[in-house]
Amino acid sequence: MPTPTPTTATTTTTTTTTTTTDRYPSRGPVEVSVPRRDPVVWSAPGAPGPIAADGLEAFDRDGFLAVEQLLGDDEAAVYQRELERLLADPAVRADERSVVEPKSREIRSVFEVHRISEVFADLVRDERVVGRARQILGSDVYVHQSRINVKPGFGAGGFYWHSDFETWHAEDGLPNMRTVSVSIALTENHDTNGGLMIMPGSHRTFLGCAGATPEDNYKKSLQMQDAGTPSDQALTAMAGEYGIKLFTGRPGSATWFDCNCMHGSSENITPFARSNVFIVFNSVENTAVEPFAAPVRRPEFVGARDFTPVR
């Protein structure tokens, strides 16, 4: 099936302090497809960092980079114990930054985990982590979002197909595609327990979704995304063009992926829990303005407004 007709339309969002041209319109009356207008790798060729040249080339081409062992076994165990501690803490469960499964009432995600836990704050500052973000984005970076994602066994819900940038642009006001995420496995990621799926190369096309953003959309979307999801027709066309890659790995493995990758994950109906820590780094040269397609900003624990570089 054909993808939606590409558009070159742009709109402008105006605030009291800044005027920013919207190069990636979304949440309008129809679904539109726009070619990417930003680099994927922002650093100059040969820039120093943990990623080898061929790894950067693969990231530029595919939109992702898998690292078989980012953390050693002992290190991964430390973060797993910290995750279990947080999940068992009644104060964490009661915090607005925790999201629970609608059916089981088990914790699904804990946001701003690098502020809740000094253990995870240390992980954010680890040069193996933040160094890769700086190398890909070509600048200092800050944490736009962090969370632990928990998929306990027997029915934990999935995350439907989406581009993170579509949401972060529409609802958080990130102007350009200069943001990168890393998902670090804290438990075994099997091919059966709801692992991450990405369409390789999909980061080269921005899919602007149809439909307006409801008020307080984040409250619903953190449990089950609706606004900002592509049509079946568009997903069928993209999957036919790009294919789908499923990521597996042992604790301590990691997947880096571009903010505009079309990705998702299925529910976990196995007995085997799947837990990951998810960190989003944004360039300090791409700080958020007002939302491009939402009535108000999302809370800061979902989309940060503290642009202090990670040190």
Side-chain angles (χ1 to χ4, degrees):
M1 295 182 183
T3 54
T5 303
T7 179
T8 57
T10 59
T11 58
T12 300
T13 183
T14 305
T15 70
T16 56
T17 58
T18 186
T19 300
T20 304
T21 299
D22 183 359
R23 301 193 298 164
Y24 300 106
S26 190
R27 312 286 174 99
V30 296
E31 192 173 59
V32 295
S33 178
V34 179
R36 186 188 184 104
R37 293 166 172 163
D38 291 303
V40 178
V41 176
W42 290 74
S43 60
I51 307 175
D54 59 349
L56 286 177
E57 291 172 2
F59 186 87
D60 185 75
R61 179 188 66 242
D62 299 328
F64 59 80
L65 179 66
V67 178
E68 186 174 343
Q69 187 174 29
L70 181 71
L71 306 175
D73 292 344
D74 291 345
E75 294 175 294
V78 169
Y79 295 112
Q80 175 65 32
R81 287 194 295 271
E82 179 66 357
L83 177 144
E84 292 170 353
R85 184 190 71 81
L86 293 172
L87 296 181
D89 187 340
V92 171
R93 184 181 181 85
D95 195 293
E96 66 172 344
R97 290 171 287 189
S98 293
V99 181
V100 299
E101 288 283 353
K103 294 180 180 179
S104 70
R105 307 308 297 171
E106 293 193 64
I107 291 179
R108 173 186 178 95
S109 300
V110 178
F111 280 79
E112 220 171 38
V113 69
H114 72 296
R115 296 192 183 277
I116 293 175
S117 163
E118 188 58 35
V119 173
F120 284 110
D122 287 341
L123 179 62
V124 167
R125 294 188 291 261
D126 191 310
E127 190 61 26
R128 293 169 297 179
V129 177
V130 70
R132 282 177 166 85
R134 293 191 191 107
Q135 190 178 7
I136 291 168
L137 301 180
S139 70
D140 279 332
V141 298
Y142 70 93
V143 176
H144 176 69
Q145 185 186 103
S146 74
R147 66 180 188 261
I148 47 175
N149 284 336
V150 184
K151 277 192 176 180
F154 300 118
F159 293 87
Y160 197 70
W161 290 106
H162 65 286
S163 154
D164 286 330
F165 178 74
E166 193 279 338
T167 298
W168 299 337
H169 182 72
E171 300 187 39
D172 296 337
L174 295 192
N176 301 307
M177 295 180 184
R178 200 170 180 180
T179 314
V180 67
S181 302
V182 60
S183 178
I184 304 172
L186 301 181
T187 60
E188 188 81 21
N189 282 217
H190 301 285
D191 58 1
T192 53
N193 65 344
L196 173 67
M197 296 181 288
I198 295 178
M199 297 185 187
S202 60
H203 62 306
R204 294 287 181 180
T205 301
F206 174 76
L207 191 65
C209 299
T213 307
E215 187 174 353
D216 286 340
N217 179 55
Y218 81 94
K219 293 180 179 178
K220 178 181 178 183
S221 68
L222 298 184
Q223 290 184 329
M224 183 176 294
Q225 192 161 356
D226 185 13
T229 55
S231 67
D232 290 352
Q233 178 185 10
L235 288 171
T236 299
M238 293 184 79
E241 180 176 358
Y242 301 119
I244 296 174
K245 165 74 173 176
L246 170 66
F247 293 87
T248 60
R250 58 200 300 262
S253 61
T255 304
W256 291 85
F257 59 102
D258 178 81
C259 59
N260 191 46
C261 283
M262 189 62 65
H263 67 288
S265 64
S266 58
E267 65 178 348
N268 180 15
I269 61 171
T270 76
F272 310 113
R274 173 184 173 267
S275 299
N276 296 54
V277 57
F278 181 75
I279 306 164
V280 180
F281 294 100
N282 188 41
S283 169
V284 297
E285 299 172 11
N286 188 45
T287 54
V289 295
E290 292 305 309
F292 286 87
V296 295
R297 301 175 180 180
R298 297 196 298 175
E300 291 198 26
F301 68 83
V302 181
R305 294 281 164 170
D306 179 353
F307 310 134
T308 305
V310 175
R311 297 289 187 226

